[in-house]
Amino acid sequence: MAVDYQRPGWFTKHVFNPIVAGLARLGVSLVGSRVLEVRGRKSGEWRSTPVNPLEFEGDWYIVAPRGETQWVRNLRASGEGRLRKGRTTRPFTATELADEQKLPLLRAYLKKWAWEVGAFFQGVGADAPDEDLRRIAPSHPVFRISRQP
């Protein structure tokens, strides 16, 4: 089975992500961004990356716009992580959602974050029909997290 993963370009990897993560570590969040920290499934060491948590109907979620990333694999293996903004670190446990459960979350995520991550959703936007969201859902893991960021 092929793994869907969209690698970040040079600018994203070396400029954009470090700036967003650095700001979040300083306590400055871009529209709610946080630094996700998850233990590596092989090394056991903490790994970090910027993410865009989504509040939806009273629960919090993390969506993987780039697909089957290393942080997704690590979170699946550990089932827990933490979100950081400044000095505040919130540990959480994570539950991955089934594809059919993702539709309203993907729609809400795209409404809020399409300006930043829309290019990774194969031309599907927040106003797309459910059929289009069903088509892309398997390529975008979604986790419900137990603690509010």
Side-chain angles (χ1 to χ4, degrees), residues 53-102:
L54 174 70
E55 182 180 16
F56 184 77
E57 296 182 352
D59 288 319
W60 285 89
Y61 299 87
I62 302 174
V63 176
R66 292 182 178 275
E68 302 282 327
T69 62
Q70 293 299 323
W71 73 256
V72 166
R73 294 173 190 175
N74 290 336
L75 190 53
R76 281 179 181 150
S78 71
E80 60 185 14
R82 53 192 190 199
L83 289 173
R84 179 180 299 275
K85 177 185 168 198
R87 293 186 207 173
T88 304
T89 301
R90 299 195 186 266
F92 65 84
T93 56
T95 305
E96 189 167 3
L97 302 184
D99 290 341
E100 199 56 37
Q101 295 175 294
K102 296 177 187 178

Side-chain angles (χ1 to χ4, degrees), residues 68-145:
E68 302 282 327
T69 62
Q70 293 299 323
W71 73 256
V72 166
R73 294 173 190 175
N74 290 336
L75 190 53
R76 281 179 181 150
S78 71
E80 60 185 14
R82 53 192 190 199
L83 289 173
R84 179 180 299 275
K85 177 185 168 198
R87 293 186 207 173
T88 304
T89 301
R90 299 195 186 266
F92 65 84
T93 56
T95 305
E96 189 167 3
L97 302 184
D99 290 341
E100 199 56 37
Q101 295 175 294
K102 296 177 187 178
L103 302 186
L105 295 157
L106 290 173
R107 191 177 302 285
Y109 186 80
L110 286 166
K111 280 183 183 174
K112 184 170 184 178
W113 297 103
W115 62 273
E116 181 183 343
V117 297
F120 307 118
F121 288 86
Q122 304 166 356
V124 175
D127 297 327
D130 285 352
E131 301 81 47
D132 289 345
L133 290 168
R134 272 189 201 90
R135 178 177 50 81
I136 66 163
S139 298
H140 302 283
V142 177
F143 297 87
R144 179 182 299 114
I145 59 175

